[in-house]
Short mmCIF file of all heavy atoms in Angstrom, two decimals:
data_model
loop_
_atom_site.label_atom_id
_atom_site.label_comp_id
_atom_site.label_asym_id
_atom_site.label_seq_id
_atom_site.Cartn_x
_atom_site.Cartn_y
_atom_site.Cartn_z
N TYR A 95 115.10 89.17 99.91
CA TYR A 95 114.82 87.87 99.23
C TYR A 95 113.35 87.56 99.13
O TYR A 95 112.80 87.30 98.04
CB TYR A 95 115.52 86.67 100.02
CG TYR A 95 115.05 85.35 99.58
CD1 TYR A 95 115.57 84.78 98.40
CD2 TYR A 95 114.09 84.64 100.30
CE1 TYR A 95 115.16 83.50 98.03
CE2 TYR A 95 113.63 83.36 99.84
CZ TYR A 95 114.22 82.80 98.71
OH TYR A 95 113.78 81.57 98.30
N TYR A 96 112.62 87.85 100.18
CA TYR A 96 111.21 87.56 100.16
C TYR A 96 110.40 88.62 99.32
O TYR A 96 109.44 88.22 98.64
CB TYR A 96 110.60 87.52 101.59
CG TYR A 96 111.02 86.37 102.37
CD1 TYR A 96 112.00 86.47 103.36
CD2 TYR A 96 110.49 85.12 102.09
CE1 TYR A 96 112.47 85.37 104.10
CE2 TYR A 96 110.96 84.00 102.82
CZ TYR A 96 111.90 84.14 103.81
OH TYR A 96 112.33 82.99 104.43
N GLU A 97 110.96 89.86 99.30
CA GLU A 97 110.28 90.81 98.40
C GLU A 97 110.25 90.39 96.98
O GLU A 97 109.29 90.60 96.24
CB GLU A 97 110.91 92.15 98.60
CG GLU A 97 110.26 93.27 97.80
CD GLU A 97 110.81 94.65 98.09
OE1 GLU A 97 111.74 94.72 98.87
OE2 GLU A 97 110.34 95.60 97.49
N SER A 98 111.35 89.83 96.52
CA SER A 98 111.49 89.37 95.14
C SER A 98 110.47 88.38 94.89
O SER A 98 109.85 88.23 93.77
CB SER A 98 112.85 88.90 94.84
OG SER A 98 113.18 87.73 95.58
N GLN A 99 110.12 87.46 95.94
CA GLN A 99 109.16 86.44 95.72
C GLN A 99 107.73 87.00 95.61
O GLN A 99 106.89 86.61 94.74
CB GLN A 99 109.10 85.52 96.95
CG GLN A 99 110.46 84.87 97.25
CD GLN A 99 110.93 83.93 96.18
OE1 GLN A 99 110.15 83.28 95.55
NE2 GLN A 99 112.23 83.87 96.00
N TRP A 100 107.44 88.08 96.42
CA TRP A 100 106.16 88.70 96.32
C TRP A 100 105.93 89.38 95.00
O TRP A 100 104.86 89.33 94.37
CB TRP A 100 105.95 89.81 97.43
CG TRP A 100 106.22 89.33 98.78
CD1 TRP A 100 107.06 89.96 99.76
CD2 TRP A 100 105.81 88.11 99.42
NE1 TRP A 100 107.15 89.25 100.86
CE2 TRP A 100 106.37 88.16 100.79
CE3 TRP A 100 105.06 87.09 99.10
CZ2 TRP A 100 106.11 87.09 101.67
CZ3 TRP A 100 104.82 86.02 100.03
CH2 TRP A 100 105.37 86.09 101.24
N ILE A 101 107.01 90.07 94.48
CA ILE A 101 106.92 90.84 93.22
C ILE A 101 106.61 89.82 92.12
O ILE A 101 105.89 90.08 91.19
CB ILE A 101 108.13 91.65 92.99
CG1 ILE A 101 108.25 92.78 93.99
CG2 ILE A 101 108.15 92.19 91.52
CD1 ILE A 101 109.48 93.58 93.96
N GLU A 102 107.32 88.65 92.11
CA GLU A 102 107.12 87.68 91.08
C GLU A 102 105.70 87.17 91.09
O GLU A 102 105.22 86.76 90.03
CB GLU A 102 108.11 86.43 91.33
CG GLU A 102 109.52 86.74 90.94
CD GLU A 102 110.39 85.44 91.14
OE1 GLU A 102 109.81 84.38 91.43
OE2 GLU A 102 111.63 85.60 91.01
N ARG A 103 105.04 87.18 92.23
CA ARG A 103 103.68 86.69 92.27
C ARG A 103 102.67 87.83 91.93
O ARG A 103 101.49 87.69 91.94
CB ARG A 103 103.35 86.26 93.76
CG ARG A 103 104.10 84.98 94.15
CD ARG A 103 103.71 84.57 95.56
NE ARG A 103 102.38 84.18 95.67
CZ ARG A 103 101.86 83.91 96.87
NH1 ARG A 103 102.58 83.96 98.02
NH2 ARG A 103 100.58 83.56 96.98
N GLY A 104 103.27 89.06 91.65
CA GLY A 104 102.36 90.08 91.20
C GLY A 104 101.72 90.88 92.32
O GLY A 104 100.73 91.63 92.16
N LEU A 105 102.25 90.71 93.58
CA LEU A 105 101.67 91.36 94.72
C LEU A 105 102.21 92.86 94.79
O LEU A 105 103.41 93.06 94.56
CB LEU A 105 102.05 90.63 95.99
CG LEU A 105 101.51 89.21 96.11
CD1 LEU A 105 102.00 88.58 97.35
CD2 LEU A 105 99.98 89.21 96.06
N ASN A 106 101.40 93.77 95.26
CA ASN A 106 101.78 95.13 95.45
C ASN A 106 102.73 95.20 96.67
O ASN A 106 102.45 94.56 97.70
CB ASN A 106 100.62 96.06 95.67
CG ASN A 106 99.83 96.28 94.38
OD1 ASN A 106 100.16 95.84 93.30
ND2 ASN A 106 98.67 96.96 94.46
N ILE A 107 103.70 96.13 96.64
CA ILE A 107 104.47 96.35 97.78
C ILE A 107 104.05 97.64 98.36
O ILE A 107 103.96 98.69 97.71
CB ILE A 107 105.96 96.45 97.42
CG1 ILE A 107 106.46 95.20 96.72
CG2 ILE A 107 106.80 96.78 98.68
CD1 ILE A 107 106.23 93.90 97.53
N ARG A 108 103.68 97.64 99.67
CA ARG A 108 103.09 98.88 100.33
C ARG A 108 104.15 99.38 101.24
O ARG A 108 105.00 98.72 101.81
CB ARG A 108 101.85 98.41 101.09
CG ARG A 108 100.78 97.95 100.19
CD ARG A 108 99.65 97.17 100.96
NE ARG A 108 98.48 96.84 100.14
CZ ARG A 108 98.40 95.82 99.34
NH1 ARG A 108 99.44 94.96 99.18
NH2 ARG A 108 97.38 95.63 98.61
N TYR A 109 104.11 100.78 101.43
CA TYR A 109 105.05 101.44 102.27
C TYR A 109 104.40 102.55 103.00
O TYR A 109 103.59 103.34 102.47
CB TYR A 109 106.24 102.04 101.40
CG TYR A 109 107.14 102.90 102.15
CD1 TYR A 109 108.03 102.38 103.09
CD2 TYR A 109 107.30 104.24 101.83
CE1 TYR A 109 108.89 103.20 103.76
CE2 TYR A 109 108.14 105.01 102.44
CZ TYR A 109 108.97 104.49 103.41
OH TYR A 109 109.94 105.32 104.12
N LEU A 110 104.75 102.66 104.28
CA LEU A 110 104.25 103.69 105.17
C LEU A 110 105.31 104.22 106.10
O LEU A 110 106.04 103.45 106.65
CB LEU A 110 103.12 103.11 106.12
CG LEU A 110 102.48 103.99 107.18
CD1 LEU A 110 101.82 105.20 106.56
CD2 LEU A 110 101.49 103.24 108.02
N LYS A 111 105.49 105.55 106.14
CA LYS A 111 106.47 106.22 106.95
C LYS A 111 105.86 107.17 107.90
O LYS A 111 105.13 108.08 107.32
CB LYS A 111 107.53 106.88 106.03
CG LYS A 111 108.65 107.70 106.69
CD LYS A 111 109.44 108.30 105.57
CE LYS A 111 110.57 109.19 106.21
NZ LYS A 111 111.39 109.86 105.16
N PHE A 112 105.98 107.03 109.12
CA PHE A 112 105.36 107.90 110.12
C PHE A 112 106.21 108.19 111.33
O PHE A 112 107.32 107.55 111.54
CB PHE A 112 104.00 107.35 110.60
CG PHE A 112 104.19 106.01 111.31
CD1 PHE A 112 104.22 105.93 112.68
CD2 PHE A 112 104.11 104.80 110.56
CE1 PHE A 112 104.32 104.72 113.34
CE2 PHE A 112 104.24 103.57 111.21
CZ PHE A 112 104.33 103.51 112.57
N ARG A 113 105.86 109.21 112.08
CA ARG A 113 106.61 109.61 113.24
C ARG A 113 105.94 109.05 114.46
O ARG A 113 104.68 108.87 114.50
CB ARG A 113 106.69 111.16 113.42
CG ARG A 113 107.64 111.77 112.32
CD ARG A 113 107.89 113.22 112.70
NE ARG A 113 108.78 113.79 111.66
CZ ARG A 113 110.06 113.68 111.55
NH1 ARG A 113 110.71 113.00 112.55
NH2 ARG A 113 110.73 114.35 110.62
N LEU A 114 106.70 108.67 115.53
CA LEU A 114 106.14 108.14 116.70
C LEU A 114 106.53 109.15 117.92
O LEU A 114 107.60 109.03 118.52
CB LEU A 114 106.71 106.80 117.05
CG LEU A 114 106.25 106.03 118.27
CD1 LEU A 114 104.74 105.85 118.23
CD2 LEU A 114 106.98 104.72 118.43
N PRO A 115 105.56 110.06 118.24
CA PRO A 115 105.87 111.03 119.32
C PRO A 115 105.77 110.34 120.69
O PRO A 115 105.12 109.37 120.86
CB PRO A 115 104.76 112.10 119.10
CG PRO A 115 104.13 111.81 117.84
CD PRO A 115 104.32 110.36 117.55
N HIS A 116 106.36 110.98 121.69
CA HIS A 116 106.30 110.57 123.09
C HIS A 116 105.09 111.23 123.64
O HIS A 116 104.48 112.13 123.12
CB HIS A 116 107.49 110.90 123.82
CG HIS A 116 108.77 110.12 123.43
ND1 HIS A 116 109.96 110.36 124.10
CD2 HIS A 116 108.95 109.25 122.51
CE1 HIS A 116 110.85 109.52 123.47
NE2 HIS A 116 110.30 108.93 122.51
N GLY A 117 104.69 110.77 124.84
CA GLY A 117 103.69 111.44 125.68
C GLY A 117 102.19 111.35 125.16
O GLY A 117 101.44 112.13 125.53
N VAL A 118 101.95 110.47 124.19
CA VAL A 118 100.61 110.28 123.72
C VAL A 118 100.15 108.83 124.05
O VAL A 118 100.82 107.85 123.80
CB VAL A 118 100.56 110.41 122.15
CG1 VAL A 118 99.14 110.23 121.64
CG2 VAL A 118 101.10 111.79 121.78
N ALA A 119 99.04 108.75 124.70
CA ALA A 119 98.45 107.44 125.06
C ALA A 119 97.98 106.75 123.80
O ALA A 119 97.10 107.27 123.11
CB ALA A 119 97.26 107.63 126.06
N LEU A 120 98.50 105.63 123.51
CA LEU A 120 98.20 104.90 122.23
C LEU A 120 97.06 103.91 122.43
O LEU A 120 96.96 103.21 123.42
CB LEU A 120 99.46 104.10 121.73
CG LEU A 120 100.70 104.92 121.48
CD1 LEU A 120 101.88 104.10 121.06
CD2 LEU A 120 100.46 105.95 120.41
N GLU A 121 96.19 103.92 121.42
CA GLU A 121 95.00 103.05 121.40
C GLU A 121 94.90 102.16 120.17
O GLU A 121 95.38 102.66 119.09
CB GLU A 121 93.72 103.84 121.57
CG GLU A 121 93.63 104.70 122.79
CD GLU A 121 92.30 105.52 122.86
OE1 GLU A 121 91.43 105.19 122.10
OE2 GLU A 121 92.28 106.42 123.65
N GLU A 122 94.39 101.05 120.29
CA GLU A 122 94.16 100.08 119.13
C GLU A 122 92.86 100.50 118.39
O GLU A 122 91.90 100.93 119.06
CB GLU A 122 94.11 98.65 119.58
CG GLU A 122 95.44 98.07 120.03
CD GLU A 122 96.37 97.77 118.86
OE1 GLU A 122 95.83 97.40 117.75
OE2 GLU A 122 97.60 97.87 118.99
N SER A 123 92.90 100.37 117.12
CA SER A 123 91.67 100.56 116.36
C SER A 123 90.85 99.35 116.48
O SER A 123 91.32 98.22 116.64
CB SER A 123 92.00 100.79 114.84
OG SER A 123 90.80 100.75 114.10
N GLU A 124 89.52 99.53 116.51
CA GLU A 124 88.59 98.39 116.55
C GLU A 124 87.99 98.03 115.21
O GLU A 124 87.03 97.17 115.22
CB GLU A 124 87.46 98.80 117.56
CG GLU A 124 87.89 98.94 119.00
CD GLU A 124 88.44 97.67 119.57
OE1 GLU A 124 87.88 96.56 119.34
OE2 GLU A 124 89.51 97.70 120.22
N GLU A 125 88.40 98.59 114.19
CA GLU A 125 87.87 98.30 112.91
C GLU A 125 88.28 96.85 112.35
O GLU A 125 89.40 96.42 112.61
CB GLU A 125 88.34 99.28 111.81
CG GLU A 125 87.78 100.68 112.01
CD GLU A 125 88.02 101.62 110.89
OE1 GLU A 125 87.86 101.17 109.74
OE2 GLU A 125 88.30 102.78 111.14
N GLU A 126 87.39 96.18 111.77
CA GLU A 126 87.57 94.84 111.11
C GLU A 126 88.43 95.03 109.88
O GLU A 126 88.19 95.94 109.09
CB GLU A 126 86.33 94.17 110.90
CG GLU A 126 85.59 93.77 112.13
CD GLU A 126 86.10 92.58 112.79
OE1 GLU A 126 86.92 91.80 112.21
OE2 GLU A 126 85.75 92.34 114.00
N ILE A 127 89.39 94.11 109.60
CA ILE A 127 90.25 94.22 108.42
C ILE A 127 90.17 92.86 107.70
O ILE A 127 90.35 91.78 108.33
CB ILE A 127 91.70 94.52 108.85
CG1 ILE A 127 91.82 95.67 109.73
CG2 ILE A 127 92.63 94.61 107.61
CD1 ILE A 127 93.16 95.84 110.41
N PRO A 128 90.02 92.85 106.32
CA PRO A 128 90.01 91.59 105.56
C PRO A 128 91.33 90.97 105.77
O PRO A 128 92.43 91.52 105.70
CB PRO A 128 89.76 92.07 104.18
CG PRO A 128 89.13 93.42 104.28
CD PRO A 128 89.66 94.07 105.55
N LEU A 129 91.28 89.61 105.99
CA LEU A 129 92.53 88.82 106.08
C LEU A 129 93.15 88.65 104.68
O LEU A 129 92.56 88.71 103.70
CB LEU A 129 92.23 87.43 106.63
CG LEU A 129 91.64 87.35 107.95
CD1 LEU A 129 91.42 85.93 108.40
CD2 LEU A 129 92.48 88.02 109.04
N ASP A 130 94.53 88.58 104.70
CA ASP A 130 95.24 88.27 103.48
C ASP A 130 94.86 86.89 103.01
O ASP A 130 94.46 86.06 103.87
CB ASP A 130 96.73 88.31 103.73
CG ASP A 130 97.29 89.68 104.01
OD1 ASP A 130 96.63 90.69 103.60
OD2 ASP A 130 98.30 89.76 104.76
N SER A 131 94.97 86.60 101.76
CA SER A 131 94.67 85.25 101.26
C SER A 131 95.77 84.26 101.51
O SER A 131 95.72 83.13 101.08
CB SER A 131 94.39 85.34 99.79
OG SER A 131 95.49 85.84 99.10
N TYR A 132 96.89 84.72 102.16
CA TYR A 132 98.05 83.88 102.47
C TYR A 132 98.53 84.39 103.82
O TYR A 132 98.28 85.57 104.23
CB TYR A 132 99.09 83.97 101.44
CG TYR A 132 99.61 85.38 101.27
CD1 TYR A 132 100.71 85.75 101.95
CD2 TYR A 132 98.97 86.25 100.54
CE1 TYR A 132 101.20 87.08 101.89
CE2 TYR A 132 99.35 87.55 100.47
CZ TYR A 132 100.52 88.00 101.13
OH TYR A 132 100.95 89.33 101.03
N ARG A 133 99.41 83.66 104.50
CA ARG A 133 100.03 84.15 105.69
C ARG A 133 101.45 84.55 105.45
O ARG A 133 101.98 85.48 105.95
CB ARG A 133 99.91 83.13 106.89
CG ARG A 133 100.36 83.70 108.20
CD ARG A 133 100.08 82.87 109.31
NE ARG A 133 101.06 81.76 109.53
CZ ARG A 133 101.10 80.84 110.34
NH1 ARG A 133 100.00 80.74 111.17
NH2 ARG A 133 102.09 79.98 110.48
#
C-alpha cells in the first residue's frame, strides 16, 4: 500500500539483495548520509 503512495509521488524504489554470513564481526560505517526530505 505504501509503495503505491511513493510511486505516485515520483519517488524511486530502491532494492538491495545481499548475503549475511556467520562468523564475521560486524561494524557500523562512520560515513555521514544526507537525510531524506521526509520521514
Side-chain angles (χ1 to χ4, degrees):
Y95 168 78
Y96 290 105
E97 182 174 1
S98 66
Q99 306 294 327
W100 309 134
I101 293 173
E102 285 183 11
R103 293 179 65 185
L105 298 176
N106 289 356
I107 304 302
R108 298 161 170 85
Y109 173 66
L110 175 63
K111 177 182 180 181
F112 61 94
R113 292 192 181 277
L114 183 59
H116 294 181
V118 179
L120 299 177
E121 299 179 18
E122 288 285 327
S123 170
E124 293 298 317
E125 294 192 40
E126 293 281 345
I127 307 168
L129 298 181
D130 293 333
S131 58
Y132 62 94
R133 192 171 80 183

